[in-house]
Amino acid sequence: MTQLSSALPTFDAHYVDRRRYPHGVAFMDGQYLPMSEAKISVLDWGFLHSDATYDTVHVWNGRFFRLNLHLDRFLGGVERLRMKLPYDREKIASILEDCVALSGHKSAYVEMICTRGSSPTFSRDPRQAENRFIAFAVPYGSVANPEQLERGLHVAISETVRIPPNSVDPLIKNYHWLDLVKGLFDAYDRGAETALILDTNGHIAEGPGFNVFIVKDGSLRTPAFGVLPGITRRTVFDLCAEIGLSVSAADISRADIKAADEVFITSTAGGIMPVTRMDDAAIASGHVGPITRRLIDLYWQKHDDPAWSTAVIYP
């Protein structure tokens, strides 16, 4: 029988974190900090219960892209979750800009978060939790790497079903990702690079952090049911209206996506990204299609347009 030690372990008054973090700047509780110092309590409901909402916006060549749309969605999610922020819209925008300016990044991935926070008495009543606002800016990252952006992604369709919208409102950007992560592992097991999962009706829904579009006979379609209405998804609608392409939100079956002329995904982390292989078969010719390339080019051109972007003021 193993004898338990009677000696207690050393009690450390302060936590030492030896992990490595990307270079960046975070804002928490009125303080601007290096990413390595940005911590939340293990008692925060955001950590314990995924009780949080967030939004991400990117900076490209020193300019925020469509910041106001991201702020609209974030503040809408905060309201729907019955949370309260200590800052108004203008102050949040200023905090985000300060995080980017202090980091020095000209191209950045910028996140704003509101967690339920924690109760001083560890109450189980969410009304007693002190909500918490956090923001950070780190180097820009993409769902697809440069090689994948050029040749197109290999995507696998997982049997995993997305959380239904009558359980978790997809209008609220959230951290409920266990279904998406399961889909990712399903895709990796099949040699693919990322995944799409299904809605409760068996149609294509979305992937880990991205929406999906198909092109067929010159018209575009994207899933409508149970998906996050992404800002880049909305941008595709705006670009299509500008250049006269037909686009709609409607159900997409597995057969539809595999018979498409072109497929692409959309995310703040990467923009418009081509897909050229679905499961074990090529999409059409297996090359990035002309409509996808046209939209990609126009999307990045808009990043310099003052009507679509906001300059960051650096020190």
Side-chain angles (χ1 to χ4, degrees), residues 162-166 168 170 199 205-206 223-229:
R162 190 71 171 113
I163 297 171
N166 54 346
V168 176
D199 66 24
E206 58 190 341
F225 176 72
V227 301
L228 174 76

Side-chain angles (χ1 to χ4, degrees), residues 169-205:
D169 184 354
L171 295 177
I172 303 170
K173 195 169 173 70
N174 61 73
Y175 291 122
H176 297 284
W177 268 51
L178 292 184
D179 49 1
L180 295 169
V181 172
K182 181 179 181 298
L184 263 180
F185 277 106
D186 291 342
Y188 296 153
D189 288 344
R190 293 161 58 185
E193 295 162 335
T194 192
L196 285 167
I197 65 174
L198 307 175
D199 66 24
T200 51
N201 300 312
H203 298 125
I204 301 297

Side-chain angles (χ1 to χ4, degrees), residues 135-296:
F136 65 81
V138 292
Y140 177 80
S142 172
V143 172
N145 63 37
E147 178 193 348
Q148 293 164 341
L149 290 172
E150 183 58 34
R151 61 156 164 86
L153 284 155
H154 176 190
V155 176
I157 300 172
S158 168
E159 296 299 321
T160 303
V161 176
R162 190 71 171 113
I163 297 171
N166 54 346
S167 294
V168 176
D169 184 354
L171 295 177
I172 303 170
K173 195 169 173 70
N174 61 73
Y175 291 122
H176 297 284
W177 268 51
L178 292 184
D179 49 1
L180 295 169
V181 172
K182 181 179 181 298
L184 263 180
F185 277 106
D186 291 342
Y188 296 153
D189 288 344
R190 293 161 58 185
E193 295 162 335
T194 192
L196 285 167
I197 65 174
L198 307 175
D199 66 24
T200 51
N201 300 312
H203 298 125
I204 301 297
E206 58 190 341
F210 59 80
N211 296 114
V212 63
F213 284 78
I214 67 170
V215 181
K216 186 68 176 179
D217 299 328
S219 296
L220 288 80
R221 192 164 17 131
T222 189
F225 176 72
V227 301
L228 174 76
I231 303 303
T232 313
R233 176 181 183 267
R234 171 172 172 171
T235 298
V236 170
F237 277 79
D238 294 339
L239 295 176
C240 286
E242 187 172 299
I243 60 179
L245 288 173
S246 171
V247 59
S248 62
D251 290 339
I252 295 175
S253 69
R254 299 184 205 215
D256 290 335
I257 202 166
K258 292 184 177 183
D261 299 326
E262 303 177 37
V263 177
F264 61 83
I265 63 173
T266 60
S267 172
T268 294
I272 298 171
M273 296 165 279
V275 175
T276 52
R277 192 168 187 83
M278 190 66 58
D279 291 336
D280 297 320
I283 299 295
S285 67
H287 299 288
V288 181
I291 290 178
T292 300
R293 285 207 181 276
R294 185 181 184 192
L295 288 170
I296 290 171

Side-chain angles (χ1 to χ4, degrees), residues 18-48:
R18 295 181 175 85
R19 293 171 179 81
R20 297 177 62 187
Y21 296 89
H23 172 68
V25 171
F27 174 88
M28 300 180 70
D29 301 327
Q31 305 168 73
Y32 291 93
L33 305 162
M35 289 305 300
S36 58
E37 294 297 318
K39 316 289 183 187
I40 67 166
S41 168
V42 296
L43 299 181
D44 193 302
W45 280 44
F47 171 71
L48 290 177

